[in-house]
Amino acid sequence: MLAALEILASDANVPEFELTMAGGCQDEVLKDRLGSLPEYVRWLGQIPQPALAELLRRTDIFILPSYFEGLPLVLIEAMSSGAVPVGTDLPGIQNWINANVGSSNAVFVPVPQMKTIDEPTDAGRKEFIADLSDALRDTIAAI
């Protein structure tokens, strides 16, 4: 996600944006990156549920670039808060949302070629970053 946003931040045709991230982080490499984020990124860490709900209500686009998920209810929570969810087109998720959510505004990015269940190949990662930045660029333009 951060790599896709770096692409957008350097694109003169994309308006300025702010990314606010909330939640814990177990990944040591990502934790290192969180210490030197670009000025358009803000990481809040773990926040209480009411604060998260308020954040979602102020959000235009919600991004969930997962490589492995069950049914991510947070996509539905984002929709109900007025945000456009952008997520990975993992098996079953898009079909379930389309069948169970009245008028879904969700945007789905293709699953990259995977090395393991939760790790893409190098080529798959590059393709996913390009696909995610394209989906975000289109979503920003639509908003």
Side-chain angles (χ1 to χ4, degrees):
M1 175 180 65
L2 293 174
L5 291 172
E6 286 174 10
I7 292 168
L8 295 180
S10 66
D11 185 337
N13 295 316
V14 175
E16 286 187 25
F17 59 87
E18 177 182 289
L19 170 68
T20 303
M21 298 187 302
C25 180
Q26 304 300 318
D27 185 294
E28 292 303 319
V29 173
L30 182 55
K31 275 185 184 179
D32 289 343
R33 264 192 101 176
L34 293 174
S36 59
L37 293 169
E39 63 184 43
Y40 58 84
V41 180
R42 190 169 53 127
W43 180 50
L44 304 177
Q46 291 289 113
I47 61 174
Q49 192 65 32
L52 180 59
E54 177 58 31
L55 177 62
L56 279 174
R57 285 191 289 275
R58 295 189 330 257
T59 299
D60 294 315
I61 300 171
F62 175 84
I63 309 168
L64 184 65
S66 298
Y67 298 132
F68 181 80
E69 285 284 339
L71 178 60
L73 294 178
V74 69
L75 294 177
I76 297 164
E77 293 169 344
M79 276 187 260
S80 70
S81 298
V84 176
V86 176
T88 311
D89 192 10
L90 296 168
I93 294 172
Q94 185 172 178
N95 290 340
W96 189 93
I97 287 177
N98 290 340
N100 293 285
V101 176
S103 59
S104 169
N105 62 349
V107 176
F108 292 96
V109 177
V111 177
Q113 179 184 12
M114 302 298 288
K115 187 184 321 184
T116 65
I117 195 165
D118 62 352
E119 183 184 357
T121 63
D122 290 340
R125 182 179 184 279
K126 288 177 185 171
E127 185 176 344
F128 185 73
I129 291 168
D131 289 344
L132 182 58
S133 65
D134 289 346
L136 291 170
R137 183 180 287 108
D138 293 346
T139 303
I140 290 168
I143 291 174

